[in-house]
Amino acid sequence: MSDAAASTPSTHQPKPPLTLAELASFPVTSIKSVGPKRAKALAKVDITSVLDLLTHYPRRYIDRTRQAAIADLAVGEEGMILAEVDRVSSRRIRGNRTMVTATLVDATGRISLTFFNQPWRERQLVVGTQAVVYGKVDTYQGGKQMSNPVVDMVGDQTGKIVPVYPQSEKSGVSTGELGRWNTSALAKCAPRGFSDPVPVEILDRWNLLSREHAFNNIHNPETMDDAVMARDRLVFDELLRVQLELVQRKLHIERTSAGIEHLLEGTLVGEFHRQLPFELTAAQHRAIDEIERDLQSPKPMHRLLQGDVGSGKTLVAVSALLVAVQGQHQGAFMAPTEVLAEQHYLGVTELLKDFSVTDESTIFGDRPLRVELLTNRVSGSDRTKVLADLASGQVDIVIGTHALIQEKVDFKSLGVVVIDEQHRFGVEQRAALRDKNTSGLVPDVLVMTATPIPRTAAMTVYGDLDVSILDELPPGRTPIVTSWAKGPLDDALVWDQIRTEVAAGRQAYVVCPLIEISDKLEVRSAEETYDELSSGELRDLRLGLLHGRVTPAEKEATMSAFRAGDVDVLVATTVIEVGVDVPNATVMVIIDADRFGIAQLHQLRGRVGRGQHKSYCHLLADEVSNDGDERLSALVRTTDGFELAEVDLELRGEGTIMGERQKGQNDLKLASLRSDREWVERARGVAFELVDPQADLADYPELADELRLFLGETESDFLLKG
Ligand code: ADP
Ligand code: MG
């Protein structure tokens, strides 16, 4: 019954090769040795179809021909062996705990394993079967021993190279079973073979195996080289699916929406640049050129502006808004929070205070350029007026939160939208933008982010956007000096320095420990830090306190006091992470710095070093983990956000970066954005070759099916939405 799908009544025609979609439709029970009970166990690890099984790839391989023998294990070091279980026993020890001991043997010797409080090990380690064991080797009563090692049961698998599958020990499915079932599944697929939707010339170009070969070799390689080649092909497929999705999305937007062809003839942008007290950096020039090219074109712009804190993104954004304004359109600037919106409002108003725009309805034919703030705090008649003037075109630039585009705010002609910090701006918001203009023309969108992402990671995470990068800081910045205070003596110097800087007229931030588990605890710890400092080390200074539980009004009052210089030291939680801009602040102290991730520390540090004064960042952390050590050392070593992003990727893997965007990209089981960089670029290139700008994947229906299969309905739904 269960394998009905696999064996539909045979016709006389040979069946075509198997597609992944078909493999997904066969339940695991269509494999002979998988009965209902095993199927249930597999379901616990999300394996329900034959495709799930085939894409449950080995996490490593044991090369029997070159495996370290027991005799080769070095005491005091980690080692791995493949050996046979000779004996296993279990007993109760003190504290009502169990201890399982086992002895493993190979041709060269024996080793004992001990496990504490893992009674199920006795059942796992079946006498006479093979196990791969990985752990630290020590000695016990003159013999070799490992305590609580990692164990993979390989069962009775033969062959030179033994695949070791990721297995959850509690589900009770062994790597040996997984290997056997995969072998049966592949044997069952053999008569029909695997369909391969990727054109042969592309496979040839990149020296890729056929899909059939790849699936066989990833599960049953003859040599380690086979496994590597197989992995390349499957990695390519994973990355190609993501890129096809992103490239389709990008081309779809370009094809289905008409943008505004902005005119570059006006004088506003030029004037704006001329009156700045400094020269734009080469990177700013380059980004502005790229943006202007997009703005001129009839396709709506979807561009990401990536630049480290302090790289001068605001000027680039304002330049883009001015292109809209000089062509009689309007601009909107959206920030993730009200506080940030207010801050941008102050900044942009200052930058544009002496500018005027053409207005034929006035006697002089022009009027002052008008920038307005629109947040929830703008209410009553002020709000009514701003809304009316936006609709009539009397307001040129509006600054607010992301709610701006979701709410009923009408524009006369919205030309350019700048979105600061992209995380909360998704597909729906984009769709909302289409409805903003009565003309039906879609405004151009510039998304800004201060989170540096390595290039190939950006291609995967933001592949539907074009990217401009500000990889250069304005000249004359004195780099922030970062140091790591490892104990009370160092800490004392830190508080000393704050007093010295404040005496010289500067200001400082003290960031309190991050407590992820509880907002309440975090607030309390911030209050405690504030109390301690104001009655202790910093008692002669004026302190302010900011955390997630203060009311918006209090927050604003504290921020403006700090901005005005009426508060010397701002004690705060990470609420100050983004956007806070007080150039007079020169010291950043981060307490328990090892609790923060690299990106967060980098953002926090970016709050200082914004003026002409030399700035300092102190990371306070006495005892840290290995990982913490590498993070803090990296911060001390460099202020380059891209370099830090690479370290972060190295330490944490891609999960974190991928997590920020839609789930579909989590299809990466084998591919790594770190080690498979070149494959990301190749896959992207191929995606552009295969997707037809007018008709998506019409020429490759099987690939289109695979996208739906792997990336899910919600992802592909978007493509169908007009
Ligand atoms: P970001 O938003 O990228 O963190 P900002 O746009 O806020 O950076 O700019 C940081 C500071 O650098 C601002 O005070 C700005 O006036 C200044 N700045 C921007 N571009 C330049 C430049 N080319 N030369 C000198 N200073 C600049
Ligand atoms: Mg900024």
Side-chain angles (χ1 to χ4, degrees):
M1 173 72 227
S2 53
D3 59 1
S7 57
T8 36
S10 67
T11 60
H12 292 291
Q13 283 195 341
K15 288 191 188 162
L18 288 156
T19 63
L20 298 189
E22 271 181 286
L23 292 170
S25 74
F26 304 156
V28 272
T29 45
S30 56
I31 295 159
K32 233 211 219 112
S33 48
V34 183
K37 220 167 129 198
R38 303 318 278 149
K40 218 163 157 188
L42 281 172
K44 278 194 201 146
V45 283
D46 287 327
I47 299 176
T48 57
S49 71
V50 171
L51 181 66
D52 295 336
L53 187 66
L54 289 176
T55 55
H56 191 70
Y57 302 115
R59 73 169 158 209
R60 58 171 183 266
Y61 300 91
I62 310 296
D63 185 344
R64 277 193 215 264
T65 58
R66 300 203 288 162
Q67 213 51 58
I70 292 177
D72 297 335
L73 288 175
V75 172
E77 284 172 27
E78 312 230 289
M80 181 161 68
I81 46 152
L82 172 67
E84 189 178 313
V85 181
D86 185 46
R87 253 189 292 139
V88 63
S89 64
S90 162
R91 65 189 169 91
R92 295 247 146 230
I93 55 171
R94 246 182 315 131
N96 198 27
R97 301 193 307 156
T98 44
M99 181 169 91
V100 173
T101 30
T103 308
L104 269 63
V105 293
D106 71 7
T108 69
R110 56 205 298 118
I111 184 169
S112 67
L113 312 180
T114 46
F115 302 90
F116 294 97
N117 251 358
Q118 302 172 24
W120 50 272
R121 291 287 186 187
E122 194 183 2
R123 272 166 288 129
Q124 182 197 27
L125 294 157
V126 177
V127 171
T129 60
Q130 303 264 309
V132 173
V133 180
Y134 177 82
K136 189 162 174 229
V137 184
D138 41 36
T139 48
Y140 179 70
Q141 296 183 341
K144 285 178 184 159
Q145 173 196 251
M146 290 185 194
S147 297
N148 294 328
V150 176
V151 176
D152 289 306
M153 299 305 294
V154 293
D156 53 4
Q157 268 165 295
T158 51
K160 271 196 325 212
I161 310 280
V162 179
V164 179
Y165 290 90
Q167 49 192 324
S168 102
E169 275 153 348
K170 303 229 165 68
S171 82
V173 178
S174 72
T175 185
E177 284 175 300
L178 287 163
R180 268 199 309 284
W181 294 333
N182 264 309
T183 305
S184 328
L186 288 165
K188 212 167 165 168
C189 295
R192 284 178 61 187
F194 284 73
S195 164
D196 200 326
V198 177
V200 176
E201 65 268 24
I202 286 166
L203 298 181
D204 286 347
R205 185 189 315 159
W206 299 117
N207 198 19
L208 292 165
L209 297 180
S210 71
R211 186 173 268 177
E212 177 154 13
H213 233 105
F215 272 115
N216 277 290
N217 283 0
I218 197 99
H219 292 292
N220 291 312
E222 288 275 316
T223 65
M224 288 307 280
D225 275 354
D226 283 354
V228 171
M229 295 273 293
R231 184 182 179 281
D232 278 351
R233 169 61 205 265
L234 296 166
V235 160
F236 176 80
D237 282 6
E238 287 183 356
L239 293 168
L240 179 63
R241 283 193 285 267
V242 171
Q243 292 304 330
L244 285 172
E245 173 78 17
L246 293 168
V247 166
Q248 277 192 94
R249 230 185 250 188
K250 178 171 159 43
L251 296 176
H252 176 89
I253 290 171
E254 290 176 359
R255 160 173 94 233
T256 56
S257 40
I260 298 165
E261 291 176 53
H262 292 272
L263 303 171
L264 300 181
E265 280 85 71
T267 55
L268 268 185
V269 181
E271 264 173 56
F272 174 59
H273 293 167
R274 262 193 305 284
Q275 54 83 53
L276 289 170
F278 43 72
E279 289 292 312
L280 293 176
T281 64
Q284 284 171 320
H285 274 299
R286 199 180 336 111
I288 291 170
D289 285 348
E290 288 165 350
I291 290 166
E292 290 190 340
R293 224 172 301 136
D294 288 356
L295 292 177
Q296 250 182 320
S297 118
K299 289 186 207 160
M301 172 171 80
H302 281 279
R303 186 171 282 278
L304 177 72
L305 178 63
Q306 238 192 311
D308 213 342
V309 275
S311 58
K313 293 185 291 298
T314 314
L315 294 185
V316 175
V318 171
S319 304
L321 294 169
L322 288 178
V323 172
V325 173
Q326 75 187 0
Q328 318 283 308
H329 300 286
Q330 293 158 295
F333 194 149
M334 302 191 297
T337 66
E338 304 219 327
V339 172
L340 288 175
E342 278 158 29
Q343 203 163 294
H344 277 313
Y345 172 71
L346 293 176
V348 174
T349 319
E350 180 62 27
L351 282 171
L352 299 179
K353 64 175 188 269
D354 297 325
F355 285 81
S356 27
V357 292
T358 330
D359 184 345
E360 304 302 344
S361 70
T362 63
I363 334 179
F364 302 110
D366 64 6
R367 59 165 175 80
L369 189 155
R370 202 164 141 208
V371 181
E372 291 290 347
L373 178 69
L374 191 64
T375 63
N376 286 335
R377 268 185 267 167
V378 178
S379 58
S381 58
D382 287 348
R383 187 177 190 87
T384 318
K385 175 135 179 57
V386 172
L387 288 174
D389 292 350
L390 269 173
S392 70
Q394 293 297 301
V395 170
D396 302 295
I397 294 175
V398 66
I399 300 183
T401 62
H402 295 179
L404 253 189
I405 48 148
Q406 273 145 322
E407 283 165 13
K408 271 216 71 59
V409 178
D410 292 323
F411 292 82
K412 177 155 186 254
S413 173
L414 181 55
V416 171
V417 177
V418 174
I419 298 157
D420 189 10
E421 294 299 327
Q422 80 298 344
H423 301 320
R424 291 165 232 185
F425 190 75
V427 168
E428 285 148 46
Q429 283 90 337
R430 255 190 212 173
L433 275 182
R434 294 162 182 242
D435 307 329
K436 282 293 159 203
N437 286 330
T438 38
S439 62
L441 296 179
V442 177
D444 291 290
V445 176
L446 180 69
V447 177
M448 306 201 290
T449 177
T451 314
I453 295 186
R455 196 181 128 74
T456 46
M459 272 188 189
T460 308
V461 184
Y462 300 111
D464 50 347
L465 278 70
D466 295 305
V467 179
S468 293
I469 297 181
L470 296 182
D471 52 4
E472 176 186 3
L473 289 183
R477 296 269 167 87
T478 31
I480 303 165
V481 178
T482 304
S483 52
W484 177 0
K486 298 185 184 180
L489 285 179
D490 292 351
D491 293 0
L493 295 176
V494 170
W495 308 125
D496 244 14
Q497 189 187 43
I498 290 191
R499 289 189 296 264
T500 313
E501 285 288 303
V502 170
R506 306 284 84 79
Q507 292 163 284
Y509 298 97
V510 175
V511 175
C512 304
L514 175 73
I515 303 178
E516 275 173 347
I517 46 164
S518 154
D519 200 26
K520 212 160 134 193
L521 285 181
E522 185 163 288
V523 167
R524 197 156 74 217
S525 109
E527 284 164 350
E528 279 167 16
T529 308
Y530 175 84
D531 290 344
E532 260 168 48
L533 289 174
S534 38
S535 60
E537 294 283 2
L538 303 180
R539 69 185 154 274
D540 299 326
L541 311 184
R542 295 166 300 172
L543 270 57
L545 174 64
L546 213 60
H547 55 62
R549 295 268 170 112
V550 302
T551 64
E554 285 174 290
K555 197 188 259 177
E556 185 42 45
T558 308
M559 271 318 295
S560 23
F562 190 65
R563 257 185 232 119
D566 298 333
V567 164
D568 300 317
V569 180
L570 188 62
V571 178
T573 56
T574 50
V575 291
I576 60 154
E577 191 176 347
V578 271
V580 172
D581 191 5
V582 179
N584 192 47
T586 53
V587 187
M588 165 63 65
V589 176
I590 305 171
I591 303 179
D592 281 356
D594 55 319
R595 285 171 176 266
F596 298 89
I598 286 187
Q600 218 173 1
L601 290 170
H602 181 61
Q603 290 297 326
L604 286 169
R605 175 168 62 182
R607 299 306 112 214
V608 297
R610 304 176 80 83
Q612 75 271 40
H613 306 288
K614 184 158 187 180
S615 292
Y616 307 87
C617 174
H618 298 285
L619 309 171
L620 271 47
D622 301 359
E623 276 183 31
V624 302
S625 59
N626 275 343
D627 192 274
D629 192 284
E630 290 189 53
R631 270 182 284 135
L632 300 189
S633 306
L635 262 296
V636 171
R637 184 175 69 239
T638 180
T639 50
D640 180 336
F642 285 93
E643 192 179 330
L644 289 169
E646 294 281 358
V647 176
D648 204 19
L649 195 57
E650 208 65 56
L651 289 177
R652 295 199 301 170
E654 35 270 350
T656 45
I657 288 182
M658 303 296 279
E660 288 171 5
R661 294 268 287 188
Q662 288 94 336
K663 57 200 175 322
Q665 282 98 335
N666 294 331
D667 172 37
L668 306 186
K669 286 185 175 177
L670 280 176
S672 148
L673 300 184
R674 251 168 318 165
S675 45
D676 297 314
R677 276 161 220 221
E678 73 280 18
W679 287 116
V680 174
E681 306 208 13
R682 288 169 193 163
R684 185 155 178 86
V686 169
F688 273 107
E689 285 174 53
L690 300 185
V691 178
D692 179 333
Q694 296 312 319
D696 291 334
L697 281 173
D699 296 335
Y700 301 94
E702 195 178 331
L703 283 174
D705 279 350
E706 287 182 15
L707 292 196
R708 264 189 294 278
L709 185 64
F710 282 90
L711 303 180
E713 289 302 327
T714 43
E715 294 285 299
S716 32
D717 264 1
F718 166 75
L719 294 170
L720 304 174
K721 260 189 215 157

